[in-house]
Amino acid sequence: MATILVVGVDVFFRGKLEALLPGHHLISTDHIDPPDLVICDIARVEPEDVADAYPEIPILGYANHTDTAGLRRAHTAGFDQVVVKAALNERAKELVDGLVPSVD
């Protein structure tokens, strides 16, 4: 089970992520446990700020397919994976498993 920090993720999509990622623990920034992974909505955060705040933690950013500038900004900021929201909906477990070492 990985601890996943969600940043800028709206309540509705957080619920979807919780359903797509059973067995993982989703937290917000006010939580004291260190995360194993950060997932953030690129449209609601500054990618550079997130990358600077979590330099040692894998970051998965997502945005709508029309936000090509945001997707590029996240990639340039150093996110480990940048995907369109639809891909995260379809492949959340696969994407998370690829970024987080097996945590027991």
Side-chain angles (χ1 to χ4, degrees):
M1 174 173 79
T3 299
I4 301 172
L5 173 64
V6 291
V7 179
V9 176
D10 67 59
V11 174
F12 175 74
F13 196 66
R14 180 184 173 138
K16 280 186 111 174
L17 286 174
E18 287 173 341
L20 292 168
L21 299 169
H24 293 292
H25 179 57
L26 275 60
I27 61 172
S28 56
T29 55
D30 59 353
H31 206 277
I32 60 171
D33 290 339
D36 300 304
L37 173 69
V38 176
I39 295 178
C40 68
D41 183 342
I42 297 164
R44 301 172 131 229
V45 299
E46 288 297 326
E48 298 81 10
D49 293 344
V50 175
D52 289 345
Y54 304 99
E56 303 298 320
I57 298 168
I59 302 172
L60 169 59
Y62 70 89
N64 289 322
H65 70 282
T66 57
D67 187 6
T68 55
L71 293 165
R72 279 194 302 275
R73 280 191 5 255
H75 181 72
T76 301
F79 282 25
D80 297 274
Q81 185 80 43
V82 180
V83 298
V84 296
K85 190 173 185 178
L88 184 57
N89 268 324
E90 295 170 5
R91 302 180 13 236
K93 182 176 177 353
E94 174 189 336
L95 292 166
V96 168
D97 289 348
L99 290 169
V100 178
S102 185
V103 179
D104 294 323

